[in-house]
Structures are given as C-alpha cells and as structure tokens.
C-alpha cells in the first residue's frame, strides 16, 4: 500500500472499521519503484495488493475489500439482493471517480507540451456528472455505513487532496454534509494522506 493511494485507503478504512488491524499488516510499497514484494504479489504492479498466509495474493481494491469483509461478522457488503447491487453500484461509481481523478493528475504532471486538454476536460466532465448524480441520489447512501458509502467518501476526500480547485461542495450541500460525517470517523482520521505528499 501507499499512504496516498485512495484505492489502498478503501481497504485500510475497512480494516479499521472492522477491528482487524491486529490481523492485517500494512506494508508501504511505492508502486513506481517496482518493489519486488509488490510485483510478486500483483503482476500489474499496482497497490493495493493483499498477501494471504494460506492462499494466493489478491489485488484490486473491490476484491480485497470483499475478502476483508468476509473476515468479520459485521458485513459492509450485503451478501445478496437489491442491497448488494446498490452497494456495488456506488462502489463502482466512486472507483470510477478515482480513476478519473488519478488520470487527470497524471495528465497534468506531464510536461506542458505533452498534456492534452481534451483528456483533462473529459475527466473533469465525468467527475462533475458523477458528483451531480451522487447529490441527487444522496438519500440512498447518506445514512449507510457500508462499502458503497465509504467508497464515495474516499473519492470525495481524494478530490480535496488532488483536485481541490474542483470546489465540489458548491451546490452540493447533501454531499458536503455526508462527507463531513465520514471525515470525522477515526478510520478516516487514521488514514489521511500526508499533507505534503
Ligand atoms: N483498480 C485498482 C486500481 C489501483 C491503482 O491504480 N493504484 C495506483 C495507486 S493510486 C497504482 O498502483 N498505480 C501504479 C501504476 O499504475 O503503475 C484498485 O481498485 O485497486
């Protein structure tokens, strides 16, 4: 994991929410340095990856979260039915926002003559539409403590971290109030990315 990866943060928050910190050790593995332990666990070279004692390593935050969730009785992913699809749909939307926000940042860290305004605008439009949908549908997740709601809060926190000029709270009072509640939780406080990263 890294302290700045929002995908790793999903798993790190879930570990804390489910009281599993004594069973799962977090190891810093900056993916761009290609650490051997990461590459042997995840050939894709991305964090997070989870090494298990008794079985093959797993990767991709939705899969790792599903695994972590199975270790505890307090389920953050409903096993079946409409509730399951609601949670997984919100997780997919939040993860898609992360993909767009990460992609935008990568684009903007290229030298000026290699940046493509077209892609930055496309990424920003997708983030804006996702935020609008979440504001409209806030009643479906705002009171929940599950993987869908948590993933949305992670994506909003990542906007504050890497795209603060989005001013995503403007005109989105329900989303702002929702995020304010999550940001106070000990699991979020303990996994905040370093301010200078
Ligand atoms: N779909 C993956 C995305 C993971 C991901 O892209 N992680 C980034 C860090 S934020 C990474 O490792 N990037 C290194 C690379 O792309 O080579 C997940 O949900 O875990």
């Amino acid at each position: 994991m890294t302290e700045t990866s929002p995908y790793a943060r999903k798993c790190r928050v879930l570990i804390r929410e489910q009281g599993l910190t004594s069973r799962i050790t977090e190891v810093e593995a900056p993916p761009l340095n290609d650490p051997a332990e990461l590459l042997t666990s995840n050939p894709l070279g991305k964090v997070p990856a989870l090494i298990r004692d008794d079985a093959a390593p797993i990767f991709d935050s939705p899969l790792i979260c599903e695994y972590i969730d199975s270790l505890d009785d307090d389920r953050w992913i409903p096993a079946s039915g409409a509730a399951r699809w609601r949670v997984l749909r919100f997780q997919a939307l939040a993860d898609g926002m992360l993909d767009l926000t990460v992609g935008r940042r990568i684009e903007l860290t290229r030298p000026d003559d290699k940046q493509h305004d077209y892609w930055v605008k496309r990424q920003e439009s997708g983030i804006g539409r996702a935020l609008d949908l979440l504001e409209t549908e806030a009643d479906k997740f705002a009171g929940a403590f599950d993987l869908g709601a948590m993933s949305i809060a992670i994506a909003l926190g990542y906007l504050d971290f890497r795209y603060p000029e989005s001013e995503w709270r403007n005109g989105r009072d329900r989303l702002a109030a929702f995020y304010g509640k999550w940001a106070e939780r000990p699991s979020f406080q303990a996994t905040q990315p370093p301010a200078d990263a």
Side-chain angles (χ1 to χ4, degrees), residues 57 80 117 182 189:
S80 63
D117 198 44
W182 277 88
Q189 300 272 330

Side-chain angles (χ1 to χ4, degrees), residues 9 13 17 145 149-150 152-154 156-158 160 168-169 175-193:
R9 192 178 187 199
V13 165
E17 292 287 349
F145 287 97
M150 183 261 270
I152 294 166
I154 296 270
L156 297 174
Y158 195 64
D160 280 349
W168 61 265
R169 290 173 181 78
L175 221 41
F178 161 80
Y179 178 68
K181 274 194 312 181
W182 277 88
E184 285 173 6
R185 289 180 79 76
S187 62
F188 263 59
Q189 300 272 330
T191 58
Q192 238 169 17

Side-chain angles (χ1 to χ4, degrees), residues 60-79:
D60 209 30
S61 60
L63 181 60
I64 297 175
C65 285
E66 184 100 34
Y67 179 78
I68 294 168
D69 198 44
S70 75
L71 299 177
D72 190 75
D73 290 339
D74 173 24
R75 304 311 285 261
W76 277 44
I77 308 172

Side-chain angles (χ1 to χ4, degrees), residues 66-166:
E66 184 100 34
Y67 179 78
I68 294 168
D69 198 44
S70 75
L71 299 177
D72 190 75
D73 290 339
D74 173 24
R75 304 311 285 261
W76 277 44
I77 308 172
S80 63
R84 177 174 174 82
W85 300 119
R86 183 184 57 75
V87 166
L88 294 183
R89 173 175 177 266
F90 282 126
Q91 177 184 225
L93 185 62
D95 285 0
M97 288 172 67
L98 291 180
D99 295 344
L100 291 174
T101 312
V102 168
R104 174 184 179 276
R105 177 175 152 76
I106 290 172
E107 195 63 41
L108 290 176
T109 50
R110 294 187 212 283
D112 281 353
D113 62 330
K114 301 245 171 10
Q115 289 181 20
H116 289 281
D117 198 44
Y118 170 82
W119 289 113
V120 175
K121 289 276 163 312
R122 227 182 130 66
Q123 285 149 346
E124 291 178 353
S125 301
I127 294 166
R129 284 192 301 268
L131 287 167
D132 288 342
L133 183 137
L134 289 172
E135 177 70 13
T136 310
E137 296 196 9
D139 56 311
K140 295 184 187 165
F141 60 82
F145 287 97
D146 57 32
L147 184 65
M150 183 261 270
S151 302
I152 294 166
I154 296 270
L156 297 174
Y158 195 64
L159 289 178
D160 280 349
F161 180 45
R162 292 300 196 207
Y163 183 16
E165 64 274 32
S166 69

Side-chain angles (χ1 to χ4, degrees), residues 5-7 10 31-32 44-48 60-62 95 99 102:
S5 168
Y7 307 98
K10 288 169 57 195
L32 299 187
L44 305 172
K46 292 176 188 269
V47 291
D60 209 30
S61 60
D95 285 0
D99 295 344
V102 168

